[in-house]
């Protein structure tokens, strides 16, 4: 699916057509009230009290019965339609992000950038896109309905109105490109600001420790100034378009009223027509001015949608980890690198089902890189990774720095899956968090934060391990997953990981405890990229 304004307007064609119909009916009612002004004014000139009162009552009734109800109903349906389309854009963006693999997610941008897409961009799409589209429809109705009414007065009024309307349409087009460029700059500035806020607030503890908290204000204020300038620049271009169009609209209205006076003097129209044609001319040229302005602003939304074209919003089935027998893993000269830089020296090995493998090597040798290759997060730059008979969907990677969601402990363990309470209690006990959680106000349903101090680094690692134990994956990649856990608590957990029969474990630890040193079937030692191994003894 291609992200575009047209796509969402067509996707909601029936409901949007209803909104357009209500807008048209409301404008018809307003036009009829303007036409009634002719009779109202003529009754004053004729000094007829009965006609005067009759037309006053008619106009009041039309406003109460038609104009006000239709206007309010059309405004409400516009709001509903706009929010529906907003939701659909967010859903498609969320699905597009869901469909990204590891490489593409980190290549497309940052969390701050994606947050800006789902927040700032949606607001810009709503204001300048969906809402503006309905304003365009309303302006179109303000143009067409009064033109039809003018035709009943004199054909020449229609001809002059169309000529002036065409002039009004083409003059402002020269500055539209500047408006589109300004819109593109605004949306990129919003993304940068969100990235800045997330970056500086995420480093609060570091800034506090180094007595540099003033950087929070400095960096956020600098970003806010850039957002302010981008918004002012966009509004300036928008005002330029609107000012030119409004000026032309006023001059056009004066021309129509003047020509109507000429027709009255010639006896073609009554004096009452002066007030009506003035109102109708106002609707026509305001509608034309608004139509041109709306079209200019509408085109400024295109650069926003253009940013999403690499996303695929069609739902894709997600392969779930299934319990079962582990597979045989074969690594054949697997390496990783790019642009002449090597992050992992070639490694070859065979891991049999149920093997417990210790992965060693100096810092920077690529242990985490290899685990991510095995997990399927990245692709090797050379060599092959082969699984028989299972594939990488049954591999579970447990990182050193696990992510904790701003959610309940239950959700952080289950990640939306349904598990019986007994299983949750079992895994919490296995990682030694059962008593800690039991003393919390709401137990498993206690809300914890991603970056708060409610859980220590070691406790967060244990939560991640409990999360992994619930999955019961056939293959576990253990990447320094207990580095922050107290050694007395870490050893029983590591023993539990390494003692499960039939489960393949590839284990990385810089602080290998003697109690588990004998638990491994083999050791894979990585060398630093570029390191020359000593020659084997003859």
């Amino acid at each position: 699916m291609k992200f575009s304004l047209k796509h969402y307007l067509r996707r909601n064609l029936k409901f949007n057509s209803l909104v357009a119909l209500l807008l048209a009916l409301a404008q018809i009612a307003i036009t009829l009230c303007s036409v009634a002004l002719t009779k109202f004014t003529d009754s004053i000139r004729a000094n007829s009290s009965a006609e005067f009162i009759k037309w006053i009552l008619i106009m009041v009734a039309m406003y109460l019965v038609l104009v006000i109800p239709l206007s309010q109903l059309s405004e409400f349906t516009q709001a509903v339609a706009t929010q529906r389309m907003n939701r659909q854009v967010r859903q498609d963006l969320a699905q597009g992000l869901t469909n990204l693999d590891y490489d593409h997610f980190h290549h497309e941008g940052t969390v701050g950038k994606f947050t800006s897409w789902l927040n700032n961009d949606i607001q810009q799409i709503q204001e300048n896109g969906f809402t503006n589209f309905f304003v365009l429809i309303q302006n179109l109705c303000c143009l067409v309905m009064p033109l039809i009414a003018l035709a009943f007065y004199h054909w020449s009024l229609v001809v002059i109105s169309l000529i002036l309307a065409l002039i009004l349409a083409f003059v402002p087009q020269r500055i539209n490109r500047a408006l589109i460029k300004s819109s593109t700059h605004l949306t990129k500035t919003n993304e940068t600001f969100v990235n800045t806020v997330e970056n500086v607030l995420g480093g609060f503890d570091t800034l506090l420790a180094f007595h540099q908290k003033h950087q929070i204000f400095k960096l956020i204020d600098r970003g806010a100034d850039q957002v302010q300038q981008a918004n002012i620049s966009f509004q300036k271009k928008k005002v330029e378009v609107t000012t030119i169009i409004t000026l032309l609209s006023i001059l056009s209205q004066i021309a129509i009223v003047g020509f109507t006076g000429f027709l009255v003097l010639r006896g073609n129209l009554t004096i009452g027509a002066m007030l009506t044609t003035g109102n109708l001319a106002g609707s026509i040229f305001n509608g034309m001015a608004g139509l041109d302005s709306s079209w200019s602003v509408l085109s400024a939304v295109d650069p926003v949608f253009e940013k999403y074209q690499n996303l695929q919003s069609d739902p894709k089935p997600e392969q779930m980890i299934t319990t079962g027998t582990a597979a045989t893993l074969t690594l054949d000269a697997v390496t990783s690198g790019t642009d002449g830089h090597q992050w992992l020296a070639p490694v070859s090995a065979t891991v049999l089902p149920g093997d417990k493998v210790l992965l060693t090597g100096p810092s920077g040798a690529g242990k985490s890189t290899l685990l991510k290759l095995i997990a399927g997060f990245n692709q090797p730059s050379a060599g092959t990774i082969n699984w028989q008979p299972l594939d990488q969907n049954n591999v579970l990677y447990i990182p050193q720095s696990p992510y904790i969601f701003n959610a309940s402990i239950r959700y952080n363990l289950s990640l939306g899956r349904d598990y019986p309470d007994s299983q949750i209690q079992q895994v919490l006990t296995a990682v030694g968090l059962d008593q800690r959680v039991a003393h919390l106000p709401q137990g498993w349903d206690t809300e914890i934060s991603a970056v708060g101090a409610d859980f220590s680094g070691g406790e967060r690692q244990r939560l991640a391990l409990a999360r992994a134990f619930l999955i019961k994956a056939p293959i576990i990649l253990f990447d320094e997953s207990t580095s922050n856990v107290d050694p007395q608590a870490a050893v029983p957990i590591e023993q539990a990981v390494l003692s499960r029969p039939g489960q393949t474990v590839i284990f990385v630890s810089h602080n290998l405890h003697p109690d588990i040193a004998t638990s491994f079937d083999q050791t894979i030692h990585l060398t630093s990229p570029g390191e020359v191994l000593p020659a084997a003894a003859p």
Side-chain angles (χ1 to χ4, degrees):
M1 183 209 80
K2 182 179 180 180
F3 286 89
S4 69
L5 187 67
K6 289 181 181 178
H7 168 79
Y8 293 100
L9 293 174
R10 290 173 179 169
R11 187 169 164 181
N12 297 272
L13 181 60
K14 290 183 179 179
F15 198 86
N16 291 340
S17 298
L18 173 63
V19 177
L21 176 61
L22 291 171
L23 289 170
L25 291 174
Q27 186 56 46
I28 288 173
I30 293 171
T31 302
L32 290 175
C33 287
S34 295
V35 171
L37 285 174
T38 299
K39 297 294 184 180
F40 171 76
T41 308
D42 286 341
S43 68
I44 296 175
R45 182 174 177 80
N47 200 26
S48 173
S49 299
E51 286 293 305
F52 176 76
I53 294 173
K54 182 181 79 172
W55 284 104
I56 282 182
L57 293 175
I58 289 174
M59 286 191 293
V60 169
M62 290 174 68
Y63 270 99
L64 292 177
V65 176
L66 293 176
V67 176
I68 295 176
L70 286 171
S71 297
Q72 294 299 314
L73 185 58
S74 63
E75 185 176 342
F76 174 74
T77 53
Q78 281 183 63
V80 173
T82 299
Q83 292 306 315
R84 283 179 58 173
M85 290 186 284
N86 279 355
R87 174 74 182 278
Q88 290 167 359
V89 176
R90 279 196 174 97
Q91 287 177 330
D92 289 340
L93 284 175
Q95 186 62 58
L97 294 175
T98 302
N99 289 341
L100 292 176
D101 57 25
Y102 183 90
D103 276 338
H104 284 93
F105 180 86
H106 294 283
H107 174 74
E108 287 292 328
T110 63
V111 172
K113 178 180 178 179
F114 298 144
T115 302
S116 181
W117 285 8
L118 292 163
N119 186 25
N120 297 332
D121 282 8
I122 295 297
Q123 184 177 356
Q124 193 172 348
I125 289 169
Q126 174 181 326
E127 293 177 359
N128 299 332
F130 301 137
T131 298
N132 199 50
F133 170 76
F134 292 121
V135 172
L136 186 145
I137 296 296
Q138 187 174 18
N139 288 324
L140 185 62
C141 294
C142 288
L143 174 66
V144 174
M145 307 307 175
L147 274 174
I148 294 173
L150 280 181
F152 287 95
Y153 283 86
H154 200 275
W155 63 270
S156 59
L157 290 171
V158 178
V159 174
I160 294 174
S161 296
L162 286 173
I163 292 172
L164 292 173
L166 289 173
I167 294 173
L168 199 60
F170 286 106
V171 169
Q173 292 298 321
R174 297 182 62 183
I175 58 176
N176 276 359
R177 290 182 181 178
L179 186 65
I180 294 174
K181 183 178 179 181
S182 182
S183 173
T184 304
H185 176 63
L186 175 59
T187 184
K188 290 183 177 179
T189 304
N190 281 329
E191 288 178 5
T192 301
F193 179 65
V194 173
N195 281 332
T196 298
V197 172
E198 289 200 346
N199 182 48
V200 69
L201 293 183
F204 180 89
D205 291 354
T206 300
L207 294 173
L208 174 65
F210 283 82
H211 301 278
Q212 291 289 309
K213 281 201 299 177
H214 64 275
Q215 289 292 323
I216 296 175
F217 175 84
K218 180 180 178 180
L219 294 174
I220 291 179
D221 184 59
R222 182 190 299 168
D225 179 66
Q226 293 171 348
V227 172
Q228 176 186 339
Q229 295 304 319
N231 271 291
I232 290 174
S233 176
F234 177 75
Q235 292 302 324
K236 180 181 177 182
K237 297 300 180 184
K238 193 174 177 181
V239 167
E240 287 177 5
V241 174
T242 305
T243 300
I244 293 173
I245 295 173
T246 301
L247 179 61
L248 291 173
S249 173
I250 293 172
L251 294 174
S252 300
Q253 290 178 51
I254 294 173
I256 289 296
V257 172
F259 189 74
T260 302
F262 173 73
L263 292 175
V264 171
L265 292 173
R266 290 187 56 184
N268 297 103
L269 296 174
T270 65
I271 190 67
M274 288 283 293
L275 193 56
T276 295
T277 56
N279 274 355
L280 294 176
S283 294
I284 290 171
F285 297 117
N286 285 335
M288 191 66 216
L291 192 67
D292 198 57
S293 178
S294 297
W295 186 262
S296 299
V297 176
L298 206 63
S299 60
V301 179
D302 292 339
V304 181
F305 281 108
E306 195 64 33
K307 298 187 300 183
Y308 314 144
Q309 299 311 314
N310 291 333
L311 297 181
Q312 299 295 324
S313 62
D314 297 326
K316 295 181 180 179
E318 186 173 12
Q319 298 294 327
M320 306 298 290
I321 293 178
T322 58
T323 58
T325 305
T328 297
L329 167 64
T330 303
L331 305 175
D332 185 8
V334 173
T335 186
S336 179
T338 183
D339 298 329
H341 298 285
Q342 191 178 59
W343 306 316
L344 174 69
V347 55
S348 299
T350 299
V351 179
L352 299 176
D355 271 2
K356 308 300 185 285
V357 180
L358 178 62
L359 185 61
T360 65
S363 179
K367 296 183 290 295
S368 293
T369 298
L370 178 59
L371 291 184
K372 290 178 180 179
L373 292 174
I374 294 172
F377 291 173
N378 307 109
Q379 296 301 314
S381 55
T384 58
I385 299 174
N386 185 46
W387 294 92
Q388 290 292 337
L390 298 178
D391 57 18
Q392 291 167 327
N393 292 321
N394 281 327
V395 179
L396 179 61
Y397 173 70
I398 310 175
Q400 179 180 1
S401 301
Y403 188 80
I404 300 300
F405 293 89
N406 290 312
S408 67
I409 293 174
R410 183 189 295 271
Y411 179 82
N412 270 286
L413 294 175
S414 67
L415 298 183
R417 300 181 181 92
D418 290 325
Y419 291 104
D421 290 352
S422 58
Q423 285 191 31
I424 294 178
Q425 181 62 41
Q426 182 180 6
V427 296
L428 285 173
T429 301
V431 297
L433 283 179
D434 51 329
Q435 293 302 313
R436 171 78 165 90
V437 173
H439 286 90
L440 293 175
Q442 295 176 294
W444 306 332
D445 296 317
T446 301
E447 298 281 325
I448 57 177
S449 61
V451 293
D454 39 17
F455 269 59
S456 68
E459 288 173 331
R460 289 168 182 269
Q461 283 191 327
R462 284 193 274 173
L463 272 178
L465 287 165
R467 179 193 294 166
F469 289 167
L470 275 176
I471 297 294
K472 298 179 180 178
I475 303 143
I476 286 184
L477 309 179
F478 192 98
D479 191 0
E480 293 280 353
S481 307
T482 57
S483 59
N484 294 323
V485 179
D486 182 90
Q488 291 183 342
V491 171
I493 296 172
E494 293 171 351
Q495 287 176 330
V497 170
L498 294 168
S499 62
R500 295 187 176 188
Q503 187 176 59
T504 299
V505 178
I506 301 180
F507 191 97
V508 174
S509 176
H510 285 296
N511 298 302
L512 190 65
H513 197 278
D515 289 349
I516 66 166
T518 59
S519 302
F520 299 99
D521 298 298
Q522 64 168 302
T523 298
I524 299 175
H525 181 75
L526 303 183
T527 60
S528 296
E531 178 182 343
V532 179
L533 293 176

